[in-house]
Amino acid sequence: MSDEAIRVLYVEDDPDIQEIARLALEDLGGMSLTVCSSGSEALQAFPASRANLVLLDVMMPGMDGPTTLDALRRMPGGEHLPVIFMTAKVQAHEVPRYQALGAVGVISKPFDPMSLAEQVIALYHQGLQTNGGLK
């Protein structure tokens, strides 16, 4: 991991998945998380979160992940922010769609809590390279 801590805006509507991911990313991965239960909550929390990465569920009630990503991209500081989708919908034809929406990667659910931080860190660094090192 880089010298700078990864600050994650984590958007997931399932409280059980939130807790498992929080333990994996904070306790095992040393990341700082702002956890939101919906897209609209994430948009409100984004400015204060100082996130340099967004981990975003695809299927959520109300505002889904792609819609949330679109709104984040229109916010100051969200234009080039690395975004990783987490979803159970990981059919071969869906991953290119998520990447076309601007995601640097996709992590499938259910995920392995022991390797989640490692996956997120790798995709974060890939996103920094893809976006010209912008944070």
Side-chain angles (χ1 to χ4, degrees), residues 1 17 33 41 69 76 84-85 88 97 102 104 109 123 129:
M1 189 157 84
I17 296 173
L33 264 66
E41 185 181 330
L69 174 56
I84 301 168
F85 278 122
R97 177 178 159 256
V104 297
K109 290 196 259 182
L123 289 169
Q129 292 173 351

Side-chain angles (χ1 to χ4, degrees), residues 50-117:
R50 298 180 38 241
N52 52 16
L53 174 70
V54 177
L55 193 53
L56 186 57
D57 186 13
V58 171
M59 295 180 294
M60 297 182 289
M63 184 182 294
D64 67 5
T67 303
T68 303
L69 174 56
D70 182 58
L72 279 170
R73 290 289 186 235
R74 290 185 266 119
M75 295 179 74
E79 303 91 341
H80 302 287
L81 196 64
V83 173
I84 301 168
F85 278 122
M86 288 185 71
T87 182
K89 289 184 65 173
V90 191
Q91 301 295 325
H93 68 280
E94 290 168 323
V95 173
R97 177 178 159 256
Y98 299 142
Q99 291 170 327
L101 292 171
V104 297
V106 178
I107 295 175
S108 62
K109 290 196 259 182
F111 53 84
D112 175 8
M114 299 308 291
S115 65
L116 180 62

Side-chain angles (χ1 to χ4, degrees), residues 80 82 102-104 123-134:
H80 302 287
V104 297
L123 289 169
Y124 169 73
H125 288 294
Q126 177 183 320
L128 291 181
Q129 292 173 351
T130 302
N131 292 323
L134 297 173

